Every structure is written in C-alpha cells, then in structure tokens.
Amino acid sequence: MSSSTTDKPPGLRAGTLTTADISFFVVSAAAPLTVMAGVAPIALVLGGIGAPAGYLLAGITLAIFAVGFTTMSRHVRSGGAFYAYIAQGLGKPLGIAAALVAMVGYNGMEIGVYGLLGSATADTSHALWGVDLPWLPIALAGLLLIWYGGYRSIDFGAKVLGVLLVAETGILVLLAGGVLLKGGAKGLSLASFAPGNVLVPGTAAVLAFAFSAFTGFESTVIYRREARDPARTIPRATYIAVGFLGLFYAFVVWTVIQAFGDDQVVAAAAGDTGGLFFAAITTYVGPWAADLMHVFIVTSIIASLLAFHNAINRYCLALAEEGVLPAALGRIHPRHRSPYVAGLAQTVLGAAVVLGFAAAGADPYTQLLLWVNTPGMLGLMALMLLAALAVVRYFRRVPHEEGALRTLVAPVTAAALLAVAIWLVASKVALFTGASPTVNTVLVAVVPTVLVLGLLLAYRLRRTRPEVYAHFAEEPPTAPHPEPHPGLPTEPHADLPADLHPDLHPAPHAEGADPSCPQPPPPTSSSSTPASVPPNRAATPLSPSATD
C-alpha cells in the first residue's frame, strides 16, 4: 500500500445505509409514539373528530415537496443537503444563511427535547413505581447516551433506531388492533373524513400541529455519502418516511376516536389530554400495555434525539469541509468512521443549554422544551420553503432532462402550501408554547433574525475569505466508486466505469453546462423534535415532533 493511501484521512462509511436504515433515521426523528400520545389529543380538542384528515393533508403537502426535493437530490451530490440545494438554486448568500438556519433549527429540535426526556422519564418512574426522580440528572445522562450513539458507527445507530422504532410503532399498532377487534365504543365510523367535520375553523390549528409532526423527514439527503446507491436510496427513503408518517398518524388518531366514540372523544381528550392514549390502551388491551406505553415513550424520545444528533453531526462535518466552521469539526473517527468531534461539540452545546435552563429554575417541559423546540421547528419549515423555491430556480438555470411536473409544478405547489403552513404555525404559536405574547414574538423572530445574520456572514466571507466563499456548496469531484463496507453486498453498478455509473455524473452547476459530459473537478470539494404532553402531566400547549 502506498504512503499516499496510508496517510489518507478516514472518510464516512460509504455504502453502508440501506433504504430501510435511512427510513429508520428519519421516522425516528419524528417520534411517532410521543407525537401521538402527546400531540394528537390536543389536535382532537382543537379540531374535533376531523383531526385525522389534517395529518393526511399535511402528508400530501410534504409528499408534493418531496417530488422536487428528491429530483434535485439526483443532481446535487453535496453532503450539505438543504444549504447546498439553496446555494445552487438561489445563490451562495442565501445558501450560507440557510446553513446557519439549519444549524439553529436542528440543534433547537434536539436540545429542547432533553427537557422532555427528563420530564417524561420522571413521570414514567412515578406512574410505574411511585418514585419521583429529578429531571436534570436524567437529561444529562441522556446527553451522554446520545453522544455515545453518535460516536459509534452509523450502522450501529441504524440498528438501535430500528429496534426502538419497531417498539414504539408496535405499541400503537397493538392499541389500534385492540380497538378494531372490539369494534370501538359504538361501532366503527368514517365520520372523521366527512367534509362537514374536516372543513371547520379548528382545522387550521390541527394543520399547524400536523405539519410540525413530520419535522425531520427531510433529513434523508444528509446521509447521501453513507447510503448505498444514493440516487435510488434517498428518494425511496424520503417517500417511505413521509408516506408512512402521514398514513400512520391519520390511522392511529382515527382508531383512538373509535375507542371513545365520535360524540365522546373530544370531551375525553379535553378532560385528560396527557392520559387519553393510556386510557384507551388500558381499556382495549390491558393495564400491562399501558405500562409498556409509558416505557416506550421514553425510548421514542431517545430515538428521536439520536436521529437528530446524527443529522446535526453531518451538517457540522459538511460545513467544516466547506471551511465555514473550524476544520477540527470535520475530523472522522478512524475506526467508527463517524464525525466524532462534531458530535462532541454538539453534546457540549446541549449540556450548556440544559444546565443554563436548570440554573435559571426553568421548567424542563414548558420552557426548555417548548422555548427551544419551537424556533427549531419553524427554522426547518423555512428551509423546506427555500428548498422548494431553489428547485424551480436550479432547473431553470441548468440543462436537464427532468419533466416540468418534477421541476416546476410540484415545487411551486409545495412552496405555496409550505408558506401557508409556516403562517399557520406562526399564527398559532401560542398553542405550541403556552407562553406570553412577548416570549412568542421572540420565538417567532429567531428564524428571520438568524437568516439576516447568515446573509451578513455570507457578505463578510465574500470580502474576507473569498476562496471559501467561491467554493461554497460546490459539487464534490467525481471519484471512483467508494469501497463498500466489509461484509456488505456490493452496490449495484459497482462494476461499471465511472462514466457509466448512474450516480457518479456530476450535476452541472453553471449555466450552459452540458449534463451529458462530466464537469472538471472543482478546486475544493464539499461534502424532527417531538414535543408531547408527558403522561400524567397537565395538558400544556406544546411544540410537536422532533427527526437529515
């Protein structure tokens, strides 16, 4: 082996993640059990029995967004995901601003959830064993656990998330099965989907909760460098994630309505928001299942934290490789092939925020979770809107063979629907936070403020570090197909020369570039959170959904 090969720094573990693995990451970020048990009862109180349709409508909107999003993923191979798409479609200043919003958004979605982990674990301990635990040690222990999960290899994380996701979805399927087998409280009804029950004033609030319940599904593209056959794996995982979440959410909420009856469920949800699902599963399955649900809510939160932690690490890695963040954050562990320095930095940041809120005497749920989580959720929704606009501009600037449905109709439609969704969430923010108007104004203002700061950073980089600015979000150079992870099947087309491999054509990123000809390598390469009302806790307006 040559010295040049020996001295080459380790990279991420390429060719490791399958479609199922990536789907586990993004669905786990959404934390289905936590969202259902904590958020769905509030959606029922606000929107009535038409709430299931709200989740379907949100899922359809995000599926339309995924059409243009995944089409662009075949052309943009950078590990920067959102910011790379926005930079290549809308320009580098907005791309750099989007990178800053992404870091704030993903960190907000994760760090706030440590408060939920502490409070939900304490509530579970009290409900099952009558033991009252302080939330802070639990949150700090969670920080260490999530750090270790991110430190290990990406396939280790995928296995852990697979087990946890099966557990949390399994308990909800068990509840639904019990309700369906017993025919519900008064027989099964489809009144939830009748127009008269869907088109009501409260549906706007339901849609706000429903959109936030999907946060994290878009992170599929963050794992491009570690995916097997990413040109196929990334789009499949994206559609599977959004399709599963939309249908599963609607189905579970509908079955809970059947458990109490169309005419009784709203009153039951209003009377015991945090305990609605526990009451249903106790009645239709048994008390032992309610105990399992308590435990699985905690594991659901852990899964969401790990999924977002991995996504943040890869964003840090990409920005370190760009030269925007310190180069040390781009170090990859020689054995586990994980961005371990970025993971350590994110854990230290999380600990600082958690300890700061604890020192101020803040409530882990109503303040740490909701005040940190809500701007993160709005930030990721804003990134989706910018990405949809970037798809339109990108495909108008470069030659391509994609159809107008994928490059114009779907992204324009998605942009319009996402703009409405952001307005709904911002206008109903008091439902998420339960905070004062002053606090809510500050929380909503975080994202536009960060966006403006990002634009100022971009212009500063252009003036003071022109070489970094010039190569920001460039496509990585075409390279031989990565060596597959030992023991894994050879990737499709691995035996083809680079010029025939379906995923190795560099996407044109300049006007007039010919997509049929490989472009010369550039000088420098670049590479959810749930919020719920914890069990046995007084119902509080919250910020739903945690989970590249």
Side-chain angles (χ1 to χ4, degrees), residues 97 100-101 446-459:
L100 196 59
V101 172
V446 167
V447 173
T449 300
V450 171
L451 194 64
V452 171
L453 291 174
L455 289 172
L456 294 175
L457 172 64
Y459 296 131

Side-chain angles (χ1 to χ4, degrees), residues 13-35:
R13 185 163 284 170
T16 298
L17 299 178
T18 64
T19 298
D21 293 332
I22 298 174
S23 299
F24 286 150
F25 274 104
V26 297
V27 175
S28 295
L33 175 57
T34 308
V35 166

Side-chain angles (χ1 to χ4, degrees), residues 53-418:
Y55 289 96
L56 285 179
L57 292 172
I60 291 170
T61 297
L62 296 176
I64 294 171
F65 165 76
V67 172
F69 184 62
T70 56
T71 300
M72 195 166 178
S73 74
R74 295 199 292 265
H75 296 258
V76 178
R77 297 176 296 116
S78 168
F82 271 142
Y83 80 71
Y85 290 22
I86 294 166
Q88 294 209 26
L90 302 178
K92 291 179 181 178
L94 264 179
I96 293 170
L100 196 59
V101 172
M103 292 302 298
V104 171
Y106 279 105
N107 274 288
M109 293 302 290
E110 184 196 13
I111 294 172
V113 180
Y114 284 109
L116 177 61
L117 176 64
S119 61
T121 304
D123 287 341
T124 296
S125 174
H126 179 82
L128 298 183
W129 305 293
V131 177
D132 293 318
L133 298 175
W135 73 270
L136 181 58
I138 298 170
L140 295 177
L143 279 158
L144 292 175
L145 179 64
I146 299 305
W147 164 79
Y148 179 73
Y151 171 79
R152 291 290 303 270
S153 61
I154 191 67
D155 47 341
F156 171 82
K159 291 182 177 68
V160 171
L161 290 177
V163 172
L164 297 182
L165 183 61
V166 167
E168 65 175 302
T169 55
I171 197 70
L172 289 171
V173 170
L174 185 64
L175 166 60
V179 173
L180 294 179
L181 286 174
K182 295 182 180 180
K186 299 179 181 179
L188 302 180
S189 164
L190 294 177
S192 291
F193 305 100
N197 292 320
V198 175
L199 302 176
V200 296
T203 300
V206 173
L207 285 170
F209 281 95
F211 275 108
S212 56
F214 287 80
T215 306
F217 92 92
E218 77 293 332
S219 60
T220 50
V221 292
I222 296 175
Y223 300 101
R224 180 182 183 90
R225 292 164 63 183
E226 295 157 289
R228 299 188 212 173
D229 192 12
R232 294 176 175 84
T233 303
I234 298 301
R236 288 174 182 171
T238 304
Y239 285 118
I240 288 172
V242 71
F244 171 79
L245 289 172
L247 293 173
F248 191 65
Y249 285 154
F251 172 68
V252 171
V253 176
W254 175 77
T255 57
V256 169
I257 293 171
Q258 307 314 301
F260 292 90
D262 292 342
D263 57 345
Q264 297 293 325
V265 67
V266 174
D272 187 13
T273 306
L276 186 73
F277 273 64
F278 296 95
I281 202 169
T282 298
T283 300
Y284 288 90
V285 182
W288 62 270
D291 292 344
L292 274 182
M293 184 175 281
H294 278 289
V295 174
F296 289 160
I297 277 184
V298 175
T299 61
S300 169
I301 296 168
I302 291 172
S304 176
L305 285 166
L306 180 57
F308 271 106
H309 181 71
N310 277 300
I312 293 165
N313 293 350
R314 279 146 186 82
Y315 254 107
C316 280
L317 171 66
L319 287 170
E321 291 175 340
E322 298 276 14
V324 175
L325 291 180
L329 293 174
R331 292 178 186 169
I332 294 176
H333 195 278
R335 177 184 174 189
H336 299 305
R337 310 285 283 277
S338 62
Y340 71 107
V341 177
L344 180 61
Q346 201 281 328
T347 301
V348 171
L349 175 62
V353 174
V354 168
L355 290 171
F357 271 80
D363 183 87
Y365 180 77
T366 60
Q367 293 174 313
L368 174 55
L369 170 67
L370 302 182
W371 291 10
V372 177
N373 190 232
T374 300
M377 174 183 64
L378 285 168
L380 296 190
M381 294 180 74
L383 287 174
M384 284 192 274
L385 171 59
L386 289 174
L389 296 173
V391 171
V392 178
R393 182 82 188 282
Y394 176 82
F395 284 111
R396 286 177 63 85
R397 294 173 58 192
V398 301
H400 62 87
E401 297 180 358
E402 307 286 356
L405 179 64
R406 290 178 171 273
T407 61
L408 181 63
V409 178
V412 167
T413 303
L417 294 173
L418 285 166

